[in-house]
């Protein structure tokens, strides 16, 4: 795939304001276009701008940590209010199959975040050779448990299990990952609202909104089409009236498409595949990749990197998310928010 890419010669333009936006977009009320709770400031002329000829000396680093902290504080406050009013707490159930280290690490992060904001958690760990019927029984038991408002089946599952079948068994009303066909279908249909938006794409859009990135009318490219991130990110960007191209392994001349992109979102899981030559100067980059690369200088023997070569891209783009510390923290906070919304819906709490 690397052979497809060539050196870039076009000029880009600024799309964002360096001022971090304070509001948190409500995950329950998804209008046709997702609008922050306050009117965004006019974007600054922060990169090369075709109209002014100004050039940018340094890219804005779109850190997700302050955004995640703000959302978690708001979720925790709302949970406290709900407990004081009706004596109830949100409940999240997680199902973990097998012994993948990364899956165990992700579940640990989610459990820790839930404990910090007051969400009650339960976890079922099943062996690698767990049967599909056993896994469906566990999911069904959580579906019928009124104290459970969100259900996560940690992906990926072992190869002998059918992920789509398992996802379909999760109640749409408790599908806080947003992967159920009902939720994905409603996300794709104009004028319809899913019960839940997948956490990773929702985090991507929240980052763009908080950093005042212009989306309406812009050319956006999403590299990858997974249900976890790429597919639903494309759908959300369309909700904001971006012109969206989704690239995949069968895309012809992908470098030509990326070179025209004002916004680039990558979700391919290949470390450093996106080089600076592929990016339009002044573009905004959201790197959703999380890849482990061997590093003998690291105490752990590896380091985490994204799909985008950060050291190169930062010299070309107007704004970029780091890995780690970019999209990841916001993804976890969106899971907390989805779980809270599910509990509020179940108890009729407003």
């Amino acid at each position: 795939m690397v052979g497809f890419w060539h050196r870039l010669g076009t000029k880009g333009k600024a799309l964002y304001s360096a001022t971090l936006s304070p509001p948190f977009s409500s995950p329950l009320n998804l209008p046709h276009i997702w609008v922050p709770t306050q009117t965004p400031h006019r974007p600054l002329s922060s990169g090369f701008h075709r109209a002014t000829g100004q050039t940018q000396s340094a890219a804005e680093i779109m850190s997700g940590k302050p955004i995640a902290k703000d959302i978690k504080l708001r979720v925790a406050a709302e949970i406290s209010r709900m407990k004081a009013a009706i004596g109830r707490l949100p409940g999240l159930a997680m199902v973990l199959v097998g012994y993948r280290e990364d899956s165990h690490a992700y579940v640990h992060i989610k459990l820790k975040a839930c404990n910090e904001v007051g969400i009650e958690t339960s976890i079922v760990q099943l062996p690698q050779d767990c049967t599909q019927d056993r896994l469906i029984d566990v999911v069904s038991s959580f579906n019928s448990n009124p104290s459970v408002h969100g259900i996560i089946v940690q992906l990926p599952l072992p190869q002998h299990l059918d992920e789509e079948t398992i996802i379909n068994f999760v109640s749409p009303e408790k599908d806080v990952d947003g992967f159920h066909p009902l939720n994905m279908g409603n996300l794709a249909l104009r004028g319809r609202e899913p019960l839940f938006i997948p956490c990773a794409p929702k985090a991507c859009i929240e980052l763009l909104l908080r950093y005042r990135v212009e989306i309406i009318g812009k050319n956006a490219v999403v590299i990858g089409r997974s249900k976890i991130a790429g597919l639903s990110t494309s759908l959300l960007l369309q909700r904001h009236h971006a012109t969206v191209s989704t690239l995949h392994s069968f895309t012809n001349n992908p470098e030509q498409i990326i070179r025209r992109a004002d916004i680039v979102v990558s979700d391919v899981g290949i470390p450093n595949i996106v080089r600076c030559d592929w990016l339009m100067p002044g573009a905004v980059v959201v790197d959703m990749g999380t890849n482990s690369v061997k590093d003998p200088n690291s105490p752990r023997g590896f380091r985490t990197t994204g799909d985008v070569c950060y050291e190169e891209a930062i010299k070309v783009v107007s704004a970029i998310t780091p890995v780690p510390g970019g999209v990841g923290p916001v993804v976890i906070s969106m899971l907390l928010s989805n779980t809270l919304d599910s509990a509020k819906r179940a108890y009729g709490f407003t």
Side-chain angles (χ1 to χ4, degrees), residues 111-229:
L111 288 171
K112 182 175 181 290
C114 287
N115 291 334
E116 289 173 350
V117 300
I119 294 176
E120 295 183 326
T121 57
S122 56
I123 181 171
V124 172
Q125 299 189 50
L126 299 173
Q128 181 79 15
D129 59 357
C130 165
T131 66
Q132 186 149 302
D133 287 343
R134 172 58 179 150
L135 179 52
I136 289 174
D137 286 343
V138 171
V139 172
S140 297
S141 68
F142 286 136
N143 282 340
S144 59
N145 186 338
S147 66
V148 171
H149 308 104
I151 301 171
I152 291 177
V153 179
Q154 185 64 43
L155 302 178
L157 294 172
Q159 291 187 353
H160 69 282
L161 299 173
D162 187 341
E163 285 188 0
E164 292 302 321
T165 298
I166 301 304
I167 289 171
N168 290 350
F169 265 90
V170 176
S171 169
E173 291 80 10
K174 300 186 179 185
D175 171 40
V176 290
D177 268 337
F179 299 153
H180 191 281
L182 178 65
N183 287 318
M184 289 293 289
N186 283 337
L187 181 61
L189 294 174
R190 182 172 180 173
R192 302 285 291 273
E193 290 193 18
L195 294 170
F196 302 101
I197 303 169
C199 300
K202 193 175 177 182
C204 171
I205 297 299
E206 188 73 17
L207 270 162
L208 293 175
L209 293 177
R210 294 287 190 114
Y211 280 94
R212 309 299 192 189
V213 175
E214 297 180 39
I215 303 177
I216 296 176
K218 301 303 178 182
N219 292 323
V221 164
V222 178
I223 310 172
R225 53 180 176 178
S226 72
K227 63 176 173 289
I228 295 177

Side-chain angles (χ1 to χ4, degrees), residues 102 105-106 109 269-272 287-311 321-329:
D102 55 348
Y106 293 146
I109 292 171
I270 302 176
N272 299 321
D287 192 346
M288 302 177 80
T290 304
N291 313 291
S292 295
V293 178
K294 290 183 179 180
D295 184 356
N297 296 321
S298 171
R300 299 179 297 174
F302 68 92
R303 58 185 173 86
T304 302
T305 186
D307 296 339
V308 180
C309 185
Y310 183 84
E311 292 78 10
T321 59
V323 177
V327 179

Side-chain angles (χ1 to χ4, degrees), residues 24-30 34 71-72 75 79 82 90-92 114 117 119 148-152 172-179 183 187 194-203 206 228 236 330-346:
F24 165 49
S25 302
S26 171
L28 259 182
N29 184 19
L30 176 67
W34 188 349
I71 294 173
K72 287 173 70 174
V75 168
I79 290 174
M82 185 169 70
L92 178 64
C114 287
V117 300
I119 294 176
V148 171
H149 308 104
I151 301 171
I152 291 177
E173 291 80 10
K174 300 186 179 185
D175 171 40
V176 290
D177 268 337
F179 299 153
N183 287 318
L187 181 61
L195 294 170
F196 302 101
I197 303 169
C199 300
K202 193 175 177 182
E206 188 73 17
I228 295 177
L236 279 178
V330 188
V331 173
I332 299 300
S333 68
M334 290 304 182
L335 171 63
L336 306 178
S337 177
N338 279 357
T339 304
L340 169 62
D341 286 341
S342 182
K344 292 172 71 174
R345 186 184 300 120

